[in-house]
Amino acid sequence: MKKVLAVGVTFALPVMALAQVTYTTGQGLSGLIVWAARILSMLVPLFIAIAVVYFIWEVFQYTIAGDEDKKKTAKTQIIYGIVGIFVMVSVWGLVNILQSTFNTRGASALDAGIQNIVPITY
C-alpha cells in the first residue's frame, strides 16, 4: 500500500504545481467558463492515456492468464478498451474538425460572445 501511495504522490506532484493557475481571463462566470475549458482540454489527453494503459494492462492479463475463464474475461475487457479508445479519439477528432471548419480554433469564451451574455465589469 505504501508503494502505491508513493507512486501516486510522485505522479501527483506535477498536478500540484498547477495549483497556482487561476482563471484570470475574465471576471465572474465568463472567466470560470474559460478556466473550465482549459482544464478540460488538459484532461482529454489524460483520459486517452489512461484508456491506453488500461488496454495494455488487459492485453498483459490475457497473455499471462492460465485458464480459459480468465482469458475470456480479459478478452472482453480488451474489446471494451478498444471501443473506448476509439470513441474518445473519434469524439476528440470530431471536435477538432468542427473547430477548424467553423474557424473557432484558439478562440476563447470571451471571443465567442459570452461577454454579451454575462456582462463583465472591470
Side-chain angles (χ1 to χ4, degrees):
M1 182 66 182
K2 289 182 181 181
K3 289 181 183 180
V4 173
L5 184 62
V7 170
V9 168
T10 303
F11 284 118
L13 286 176
V15 175
M16 291 176 6
L18 295 174
Q20 65 191 8
V21 177
T22 59
Y23 59 96
T24 58
T25 304
Q27 299 288 335
L29 184 61
S30 62
L32 184 63
I33 291 171
V34 171
W35 177 77
R38 287 181 186 160
I39 295 295
L40 286 175
S41 69
M42 288 188 283
L43 287 178
V44 169
L46 178 69
F47 287 147
I48 292 173
I50 290 170
V52 169
V53 168
Y54 175 76
F55 170 74
I56 292 171
W57 175 254
E58 288 301 327
V59 168
F60 178 71
Q61 292 295 325
Y62 180 78
T63 57
I64 65 169
D67 58 349
E68 289 299 319
D69 200 31
K70 288 183 180 179
K71 282 192 177 208
K72 184 177 180 183
T73 304
K75 190 176 183 181
T76 304
Q77 295 300 320
I78 289 171
I79 293 171
Y80 287 151
I82 291 172
V83 170
I85 292 169
F86 176 77
V87 168
M88 285 189 285
V89 171
S90 298
V91 169
W92 195 25
L94 181 63
V95 167
N96 286 330
I97 289 171
L98 290 174
Q99 282 181 338
S100 64
T101 300
F102 295 113
N103 200 17
T104 59
R105 187 175 302 275
S108 69
L110 296 176
D111 296 334
I114 291 189
Q115 73 271 18
N116 296 331
I117 299 170
V118 180
I120 300 173
T121 56
Y122 294 102

